[in-house]
Amino acid sequence: MEQPVTAGRATGASGEEPEALEALVGASLTARVTLDEHGLVTGWNAGAERLLGYTAGQLTGRRAADLLAEPIPVRGGLPTLAELPRWNGDVALRHRDGRKLTVGILAHHRPPGGDGPAWFVFSALTDRQPPAGLDESLVSWSFAQSPCCAQAIYDTRLRLRRANADMERAMALTEEEMRGLRVSEIVVDDAGRRAELDMARVLRTGEPQYEENYLRAPGESHEHAWSVFLSALRDHEGTIRGVCLSAHDMTEQFWARKRLQLIAEAGRRIGTTLDVTRTAQELTDVTVPVLADFVSVDLLAALDDAPEPPARAVPADGPLLLRRAALRSVTPGAPESVVAAGAVDAYPPGSMHFESLRTGRPALHEVTDPAFTAWLARDPARAARVRAFGIHSVMAVPLAARGTTLGVAFFVRHRTQEPFRHDDLVLAGELAARAAVSIDNARRYTRERATAVTLQRSLLPRRLPRQAAVEVASRYLPAGGHAGVGGDWFDVIPLSGARVALVVGDVVGHGLVASATMGRLRTAVRTLADIDLPCDELLTHLDDLVARLNTEEESDAERRTPGSAETAGAGSAGMAGEGAAGTAGRGSAGSARAGSAGSAGAGSAGTAGAGPAANAGDLGATCLYAVYDPVTRRCCFAGAGHPLPAVVSPEGTVDLVGLPSAPPLGVGGLPYEATEVDVPEGSLLALYTNGLIEAPDRDLDTGVDRLREALARPAPSLDALCDAVLADLLPPRPTDDVALLIARTRALDERQVATWAVPSEPSAVAQTRKDVVAQLERWGLSDAVFVTELVVSELVTNAIRHAEPPVQLRLIHDSTLICEVSDGGSTAPHLRRARIYDEGGRGLLLVAQLTERWGTRQSGTGKTIWAEQNLSLA
């Protein structure tokens, strides 16, 4: 007998004892021999003894090659034993009695390194004869009783001749009841017709055919997916005598594939936008009707206005308030829904929504389950919908992401006859988890966008001030793909002498960083404009500020360590105000308006901290600064890497103002130059950012041409013109921020301005007062005579005593009364407190007390001191 390979008794996986198995299979019916790596016999069973006549004791330890009656014929040479994984063929062996036997053998080679024999050699004994007719009976039985697939045999007329038991079960018909019928007569739908066409193709070509179909057999509660193979049946001469149809039930594999496809589809379609409602709707769109006949997504009503979800999403003993964010049904109008989209409903303890969120686990119920019927008993409206539409199976799946509870998704089946199963619940949970992450992303984005919009609104002018010099209208559009804010800005700043400053700027980038930087620069521009710096000088100081901010950002980045609580904006926030105020103070006295310099510093510091810090060294901006004087009707322009302004004449001609080339702010090294142009009354000044004229689908020149065409068309108002320009030049979702400022110029009548050249003699003060009183009488401003006399007397006297000629006095009568005294000196006066015995020092203090505001501005030939009175208080 063969020596055992391993010792001990073991029970197989099926529970059969090895001895019982050996008795069943008849081990002696096979000759079995084991060899070691050297070809020596290590095992010899009873079948081998019956085959060759040698006992195990006679051959154990001997060379197996000694049993060969002749060499083994192998084509191409025999590989070494180590190279053979398996070998089979006929071998000539020598029986113990000397006769030669040709035996078919199958030899298996065990990989090196294991215990036991290296080779297993088997040969079936030739004297085993089966009972008569057994083979044919086995073939017939295997066809009829095959459990692996449904099979049927059709003749050349495509009439059924045989069907096995699985086919009988699948069709709910016996073989006798189907015999003689066609496929299309047994399965009366499109699947039967397609199968019959494929069978005809098999008969014509002899090539096998394959198809998949999905159908429900009579008496089945659910549909099955079938994988159908059609092949030709040939006789010994190769003539086709029929067709064999084999159908494998692939329902489980089909649904597994459908689930994977649905998950992939959900990954593609859910979360395409950062809108909470749209994302919720995408979940319902993906799952109806593939998974459910009706789906609703209900989010916590507490999320509506709260910046963060409540710590306890589900109340302990009260109703749960949910807002219906989305719903979808196979029935138009979703009549199954008790709650309309956008409405809030209360779900009491015991309801599926409440319990699913309380436990944090999905739930599946048939409508007959006690928990579900108890809920319906307390909700007649829902109970009526269940009865009306035949709802029979429901699922509730919580929506949660990043530890935050958001709401619940509710799935219903009523048209689909098959109820939800556990696999459907797992799939719904996977889809809900994906959707919850997208909904949470959208919710966080909405919260951040609200913060960004609030910041943006606080930084841009809430309303443009009414000006005597210009009538203005403006538009600001953030880039469509960003958080609703950007770095573009505009401003209208009243200046002394009835003049006005128009500003448009563009900070590199989008979002909170750009918006915070914009706030710094806008505040700095207001501070610099408030001290009446010339256009080119203002941009020079602004350039210095941006360069300094870049340096501070780089220093902060070098000091900052990962995880530090310090932000890049913290170190430079305060410096923004200091830079603006400090820079503004160089070489000029500034406006004496209360709090202007301090407000600039506070504003810059506040806005700098409003957003996250910019990366080191990446602050940059372009800017266009213009000052229009309604008295001279001239406009001064200065630009820093910004698109050229457009001037529209009263006749409708559009021209771009040619400005000297200048780098953006923060580059440094090159000077900024100003350009002055005459602007007739009623002209339009158009200032804008590059987002208006630049676009991926057109070049810059085309954008400029389209802008000129839009500005040239008449419009009933400036607001209408702004809308028309944006409509003509911008797509629905701009790719860059856009700021547009349009101003219609006005001019002061010559009769509103009076000018006198004042001799540099103290005696000229009296005559000047008389001239002023006479002019005020002509203007009908008798109530302003007293204050104006005092102001004129003080300012003219100071100019004659402390400044250089020529001295000039100008009165401007508009909504206010402005008194300006110009001289050839460059030293600006300043307020000081006079002591008891001082003979002077009280003049400017008196001017400051009697007027609305006062200040000084420098010019190329000297300076001008001005004071402004509010006529309504005169």
Side-chain angles (χ1 to χ4, degrees), residues 300 302-303 306 308-315 403-405:
L300 293 175
L303 295 176
E308 288 293 338
R312 187 179 184 88
V314 181
T404 299
T405 300

Side-chain angles (χ1 to χ4, degrees), residues 468-481:
V470 291
E471 174 193 357
V472 293
S474 62
R475 293 293 184 271
Y476 173 79
L477 291 179

Side-chain angles (χ1 to χ4, degrees), residues 493-812:
I493 307 171
L495 300 178
S496 63
R499 298 170 305 139
V500 64
L502 307 174
V503 191
V504 170
D506 184 358
V507 176
V508 173
H510 305 278
L512 291 177
V513 174
S515 186
T517 304
M518 175 269 286
R520 298 177 182 181
L521 298 184
R522 177 172 176 259
T523 302
V525 170
R526 277 190 160 268
T527 303
L528 297 171
D530 193 52
I531 58 177
D532 269 323
L533 286 181
C535 297
D536 51 351
E537 188 175 345
L538 182 143
L539 289 184
T540 299
H541 286 301
L542 200 62
D543 178 62
D544 292 340
L545 172 61
V546 174
R548 185 160 55 254
L549 290 177
N550 275 330
T551 302
E552 291 168 357
E553 293 291 347
E554 292 173 356
S555 300
D556 287 344
E558 292 174 357
R559 291 195 305 268
R560 196 179 307 115
T561 57
S564 171
E566 177 187 357
T567 62
S572 57
M575 291 303 297
E578 292 179 16
T583 304
R586 289 184 295 180
S588 55
S591 170
R593 192 184 330 178
S596 60
S599 298
S604 296
T607 54
N615 293 329
D618 66 356
L619 293 181
T622 64
C623 183
L624 180 65
Y625 184 75
V627 175
Y628 172 68
D629 189 340
V631 177
T632 64
R633 303 178 189 179
R634 291 182 65 80
C635 189
C636 174
F637 295 95
H642 202 82
L644 299 178
V647 177
V648 185
S649 69
E651 294 77 23
T653 303
V654 182
D655 293 307
L656 297 181
V657 180
L659 299 180
S661 298
L665 300 173
V667 175
L670 294 176
Y672 295 98
E673 300 180 24
T675 299
E676 285 197 7
V677 297
D678 291 320
V679 180
E681 182 179 7
S683 299
L684 298 181
L685 305 177
L687 285 67
Y688 51 90
T689 55
N690 63 340
L692 182 65
I693 57 175
E694 294 181 358
D697 59 343
R698 65 169 183 255
D699 56 34
L700 186 60
D701 292 338
T702 301
V704 172
D705 292 340
R706 291 181 59 178
L707 173 62
R708 297 176 67 169
E709 293 173 2
L711 290 173
R713 285 194 289 268
S717 65
L718 292 185
D719 284 318
L721 180 59
C722 287
D723 293 336
V725 170
L726 297 184
D728 286 351
L729 274 77
L730 297 182
R733 292 177 62 85
T735 57
D736 194 8
D737 306 322
V738 176
L740 173 64
L741 180 64
I742 298 180
R744 177 179 283 116
T745 62
R746 296 169 178 166
L748 294 181
D749 191 272
E750 294 179 356
R751 292 169 295 181
Q752 295 178 268
V753 181
T755 305
W756 296 272
V758 181
S760 297
E761 300 174 359
S763 60
V765 176
Q767 183 59 43
T768 302
R769 284 200 302 265
K770 292 179 182 180
D771 294 339
V772 167
V773 171
Q775 184 63 50
L776 294 180
E777 293 292 345
R778 286 192 292 271
W779 282 340
L781 301 177
S782 301
D783 293 340
V785 168
F786 176 74
V787 173
T788 307
E789 272 193 292
L790 291 176
V791 172
V792 168
S793 178
E794 175 61 31
L795 296 184
V796 172
T797 299
N798 283 345
I800 293 173
R801 288 182 177 179
H802 306 294
E804 299 177 4
V807 178
Q808 184 185 73
L809 169 65
R810 183 170 71 168
L811 294 183
I812 301 174

Side-chain angles (χ1 to χ4, degrees), residues 175-397:
E175 180 185 75
E176 187 62 31
E177 291 169 333
M178 292 185 288
R179 183 176 287 118
L181 296 177
R182 299 162 51 188
V183 179
S184 59
E185 296 167 342
I186 299 172
V187 179
V188 188
D189 65 9
D190 190 58
R193 185 184 64 84
R194 291 198 311 271
E196 195 167 67
L197 291 175
D198 287 340
M199 292 170 69
R201 189 175 296 110
V202 170
L203 290 178
R204 186 177 68 255
T205 66
E207 297 179 356
Q209 302 295 317
Y210 170 80
E211 71 168 19
E212 292 183 2
N213 56 47
Y214 194 62
L215 53 88
R216 180 187 293 111
E220 290 278 353
S221 60
H222 60 277
E223 295 179 319
H224 288 259
W226 297 95
S227 176
V228 180
F229 293 88
L230 299 166
S231 57
L233 298 177
R234 290 179 169 86
D235 59 15
H236 295 295
E237 286 76 24
T239 303
I240 297 177
R241 297 297 186 179
V243 178
C244 178
L245 182 152
S246 300
H248 296 261
D249 190 345
M250 306 291 291
T251 304
E252 291 301 323
Q253 297 89 330
F254 173 82
W255 275 111
R257 187 172 61 190
K258 291 287 286 185
R259 292 185 181 98
L260 290 176
Q261 291 174 347
L262 185 57
I263 291 173
E265 182 74 0
R268 185 180 66 85
R269 294 176 56 184
I270 297 177
T272 60
T273 66
L274 288 173
D275 180 82
V276 172
T277 302
R278 179 58 188 161
T279 303
Q281 188 64 49
E282 288 168 347
L283 172 60
T284 65
D285 292 343
V286 167
T287 51
V288 175
V290 179
L291 179 60
D293 300 323
F294 171 84
V295 176
S296 65
V297 176
D298 301 290
L299 302 180
L300 293 175
L303 295 176
D304 291 348
D305 301 317
E308 288 293 338
R312 187 179 184 88
V314 181
D317 53 359
L320 174 67
L321 297 181
L322 297 174
R323 182 180 298 279
R324 181 135 300 176
L327 72 162
R328 186 174 177 86
S329 171
V330 293
T331 308
E336 308 97 318
S337 179
V338 178
V339 183
V344 176
D345 196 17
Y347 294 85
S351 63
M352 287 191 67
H353 295 69
F354 188 100
E355 297 302 323
S356 179
L357 288 185
R358 182 183 65 82
T359 62
R361 295 191 298 270
L364 186 157
H365 287 298
E366 305 294 323
V367 296
T368 55
D369 292 346
F372 191 78
T373 56
W375 175 32
L376 293 184
R378 303 193 304 272
D379 195 333
R382 281 188 170 81
R385 293 292 204 286
V386 170
R387 291 191 299 269
F389 291 94
I391 295 173
H392 59 83
S393 185
V394 294
M395 295 188 299
V397 181

